[in-house]
Amino acid sequence: MTRSIGTRVAIVVALPTLLLALLLAAVALQSEARTATLWLLALSIPVIAATIAWAAVRVMLGRELARVGSALREAAAGNRSLRLPESTGVTAPLTRAFNELQDRIEKSFSRAHDALEFQAMHDALTGLPNRTLLMDRLAQAIRTAQRGRHSLALMLADLDHFKEINDTLGHPVGDAVLQQAAERMRHVVRDSDTVARLGGDEFAFLLPTANDAQARRIAIKLLRAFEAPFVVDGHSLTVGASIGISVFPQHGADGSTLLRRADVAMYEAKRGHRGQALYEREYDLHSARQLAFRNELRTAIAGNQLLLCFQPVLDLASNEVSGVEALVRWRHPRRGVLYPDDFIPLAERTGLIRDLTLWVISSAVEHCHAWSSLGLELRVAVNLSAHNLHDAELPRIVDRILAGDGRERSSAPVKLRFEITETAVMPGPSQAFEVLNRLSAQGVRISIDDFGTGYSSLAYLKRLPVDELKIDRSFVTSMVHDSDDAVIVRSTIDLAHNIGLRVVAEGVEDEATRELLAAMHCDAVQGYHIGRPMEARELVTWLRERQG
Ligand code: C2E
Ligand code: CA
Ligand code: CA
């Protein structure tokens, strides 16, 4: 141990003082010289001693402090392992404090390091491992499976209708659904399995020792875990899932192949509404076809393969056709006529829905002008997708289309209506509100389509610039025989009237339904019994024949 500063000072000061005292004593013994001088000398001893002591302390303390100082500089430069040797002198508290500080820095540094590492490997919203960590564990699991000659399964799960919820109820609700979904998934698998969030509503499961049969069983358990609705902010939301499974080694020898094939299987499960699917080679061909299909749709919109049919809407009070609904068809060069359900979902997934909708609006407006010049004044309704309501440009473009791009129009202004589903305008998305309000201010009317199939209430819809409600055909078609459906239709009509909305019943397939609806004071009806969707020219003939 180093000698303390006090000891050193004592030595340094004591020695010269002792020498001086001895010198004085010798002088005093030899002569009886002037006592006063001696006293003066004697008095000066402590002064000299103190000066010497001060100088010594300064030098030694300076050295100690310099040692601590250079240690601090080194620590500041990033040396977290540096510790000072313990001293017992006056700088002891300082060295102790320095060492404690270093300990603390070391600890919080390693905590921060751990947190950063966790962040880099996990998803912030759900706390689940992310893609990076999954791929890491997958590679490791493949090596273990190779050595142990066993299989492993990778599953990809994608939530159904999640995008709809996110777009319509807003991101906080979407986030809460994802968190609850993650929790349910964690409960289904074992601790040795990995559940990861790959992004958006896509999750992956690594089952390090499972074969295809075991993976399927877990997939079924997972689907069951999604049967109960998710409750968020008072909304009860049904969120299904589609699961794709790929198995090592039969479906791929490396992580990225397994992931890609699980993805292909997942799309197959979604497409066929099957819940879960195990990868098969022919699915790959199918996904290639999807890609080709998308390109074909792009060509169809740009070229003239799309066509509009119009279905009449009959006013019950006046028995007049007050308007028509435009329904799009695709005259596919090889496959014949395709119906919206075959290609609208694809258009929505690929962003082609914007161009498709603009084509439908322009074409519907064109037809309206043509009918107008024949003396037929009809309001034309166009269906919008939720995506269209998030397009801030839509009102401006609609305005341009209605203005006929500056061309002279002799006919009356077109009466346009948009049909939107209730889920497309659920609480939350202010963008959709803004778009609807601007359209409404431009004189475009808005209907709620397929009413009864979504989650919203009439009280909520009242806050939208909506003047019409279309009761979904699933309640109408069987209302004559199904008293529950009849009750739903009757109370919907009454409630809608109470808040000033006009009601259209869709899917009227026979006279009995039409009569029942008239008795319930429904405002208008639409359905095969009134008229099927027809091409524009056919519609004109049909209307003329009706007028007799
Ligand atoms: P929707 O808006 O509910 O349109 C009514 C659908 O019901 C049409 O099917 C129509 O043919 C059918 N329908 C009419 N009367 C009856 C009836 O009495 N009984 C039965 N069972 N069905 C009837 P379609 O044309 O196949 O359209 C299906 C859906 O595709 C439409 O449902 C609409 O949501 C969507 N859709 C159609 N055209 C467009 C479009 O231009 N853009 C967008 N975004 N969606 C469209
Ligand atoms: Ca519609
Ligand atoms: Ca409808």
Side-chain angles (χ1 to χ4, degrees):
M1 199 189 291
T2 50
R3 225 180 272 161
S4 81
I5 292 184
T7 320
R8 290 193 205 178
V9 170
I11 294 166
V12 172
V13 176
L15 269 177
T17 313
L18 199 67
L19 281 174
L20 208 65
L22 285 173
L23 199 71
L24 278 174
V27 172
L29 282 175
Q30 275 175 17
S31 71
E32 287 171 14
R34 284 157 296 186
T35 346
T37 321
L38 278 178
W39 274 115
L40 211 63
L41 270 171
L43 275 177
S44 67
I45 288 174
V47 175
I48 294 165
T51 312
I52 293 169
W54 174 78
V57 166
R58 235 193 96 112
V59 169
M60 272 176 281
L61 204 59
R63 250 190 244 148
E64 287 283 304
L65 287 175
R67 193 164 68 95
V68 177
S70 83
L72 278 170
R73 264 194 302 278
E74 243 189 273
N79 184 349
R80 292 190 312 279
S81 59
L82 179 67
R83 299 289 183 276
L84 287 175
E86 254 178 54
S87 71
T88 50
V90 279
T91 57
L94 207 56
T95 51
R96 244 195 326 274
F98 173 83
N99 289 345
E100 273 171 26
L101 190 69
Q102 284 288 82
D103 286 346
R104 258 189 237 168
I105 290 173
E106 177 81 51
K107 250 187 231 146
S108 64
F109 187 87
S110 73
R111 263 202 306 270
H113 181 262
D114 288 351
L116 274 178
E117 197 167 58
F118 187 88
Q119 247 174 43
M121 294 289 181
H122 290 78
D123 162 49
L125 181 68
T126 58
L128 291 178
N130 61 13
R131 185 184 289 266
T132 314
L133 185 52
L134 174 85
M135 293 315 278
D136 211 51
R137 290 195 186 161
L138 183 57
Q140 226 173 315
I142 290 174
R143 281 195 293 274
T144 311
Q146 253 159 353
R147 272 199 303 275
R149 295 182 176 280
H150 58 78
S151 59
L152 74 81
L154 181 69
M155 308 201 302
L156 267 195
D158 186 281
L159 304 187
D160 298 336
H161 309 303
F162 175 76
K163 207 184 157 345
E164 216 170 280
I165 290 173
N166 213 32
D167 284 354
T168 57
L169 292 178
H171 292 287
V173 173
D175 285 356
V177 167
L178 288 174
Q179 282 166 333
Q180 290 185 26
E183 206 43 51
R184 290 188 193 185
M185 291 175 186
R186 251 195 297 245
H187 269 96
V188 171
V189 299
R190 287 185 297 197
D191 284 348
S192 52
D193 303 331
T194 296
V195 186
R197 179 172 173 223
L198 301 187
D201 58 345
E202 217 175 60
F203 295 84
F205 302 80
L206 168 61
L207 315 173
T209 56
N211 59 24
D212 47 1
Q214 289 162 328
R216 269 186 193 276
R217 269 202 295 280
I218 294 184
I220 290 168
K221 262 202 217 166
L222 273 166
L223 292 172
R224 249 185 237 138
F226 276 80
E227 278 170 8
F230 290 79
V231 179
V232 181
D233 276 358
H235 300 285
S236 172
L237 306 165
T238 309
V239 181
S242 302
I243 301 175
I245 308 167
S246 67
V247 177
F248 170 88
Q250 58 263 47
H251 299 146
D254 61 273
S256 57
T257 308
L258 288 171
L259 193 67
R260 195 167 47 73
R261 300 206 152 152
D263 192 50
V264 167
M266 195 262 291
Y267 266 99
E268 193 57 30
K270 216 181 238 320
R271 196 184 64 86
H273 303 289
R274 290 164 45 191
Q276 46 111 3
L278 185 68
Y279 173 78
E280 278 177 35
R281 251 189 71 78
E282 67 177 63
Y283 296 166
D284 259 335
L285 299 175
H286 180 254
S287 76
R289 277 204 297 272
Q290 282 258 318
L291 206 69
F293 196 37
R294 176 171 41 187
N295 291 333
E296 284 174 4
L297 181 56
R298 189 174 289 134
T299 315
I301 298 168
N304 55 358
Q305 293 175 22
L306 295 184
L307 91 133
L308 282 187
C309 279
F310 299 92
Q311 186 175 32
V313 180
L314 181 81
D315 238 64
L316 283 173
S318 63
N319 201 32
E320 296 270 329
V321 172
S322 55
V324 289
E325 174 175 3
L327 296 161
V328 70
R329 310 285 179 251
W330 177 4
R331 229 188 318 232
H332 194 278
R334 279 175 293 106
R335 301 199 215 180
V337 176
L338 299 181
Y339 287 82
D341 289 348
D342 298 328
F343 59 90
I344 295 283
L346 177 77
E348 287 173 341
R349 272 209 306 279
T350 53
L352 287 173
I353 191 67
R354 185 172 200 260
D355 289 345
L356 186 144
T357 305
L358 295 183
W359 182 88
V360 173
I361 299 172
S362 304
S363 175
V365 167
E366 274 304 313
H367 284 294
C368 246
H369 283 301
W371 296 324
S372 180
S373 61
L374 295 174
L376 298 166
E377 298 299 336
L378 296 166
R379 184 175 286 280
V380 67
V382 168
N383 291 283
L384 292 188
S385 285
H387 299 255
N388 299 130
L389 293 179
H390 291 90
D391 182 354
E393 289 287 286
L394 185 74
R396 206 173 45 78
I397 300 174
V398 168
D399 209 30
R400 247 196 356 236
I401 294 173
L402 287 176
D405 281 326
R407 274 176 285 152
E408 270 302 315
R409 289 281 180 199
S410 49
S411 50
V414 166
K415 293 191 279 183
L416 186 63
R417 177 180 282 287
F418 283 138
E419 296 190 3
I420 54 172
T421 58
E422 39 182 327
T423 44
V425 283
M426 294 286 273
S430 53
Q431 172 102 66
F433 255 78
E434 169 82 19
V435 167
L436 284 177
N437 284 326
R438 278 168 57 199
L439 287 169
S440 168
Q442 286 165 212
V444 179
R445 301 256 174 104
I446 316 283
S447 304
I448 296 294
D449 201 0
D450 304 345
F451 185 78
T453 57
Y455 317 105
S456 54
S457 67
L458 275 177
Y460 168 68
L461 296 179
K462 194 175 157 351
R463 308 215 313 263
L464 300 170
V466 165
D467 73 332
E468 185 181 87
L469 194 140
K470 298 185 80 171
I471 304 179
D472 190 67
R473 64 172 182 270
S474 57
F475 302 103
V476 176
T477 308
S478 47
M479 63 183 281
V480 169
H481 310 288
D482 186 325
S483 59
D484 285 349
D485 282 350
V487 168
I488 291 172
V489 171
R490 181 190 295 276
S491 51
T492 305
I493 293 173
D494 291 347
L495 284 169
H497 282 168
N498 276 341
I499 57 170
L501 296 181
R502 196 178 115 89
V503 182
V504 180
E506 297 184 302
V508 177
E509 295 183 350
D510 50 42
E511 182 58 22
T513 309
R514 186 189 120 116
E515 278 168 12
L516 188 53
L517 284 162
M520 289 176 176
H521 305 292
C522 186
D523 300 279
V525 286
Q526 181 181 348
Y528 294 164
H529 177 64
I530 316 303
R532 291 195 170 245
M534 304 167 240
E535 287 195 40
R537 219 172 316 140
E538 219 186 321
L539 177 77
V540 173
T541 319
W542 183 87
L543 283 170
R544 290 257 156 88
E545 276 171 12
R546 248 194 120 254
Q547 285 167 349

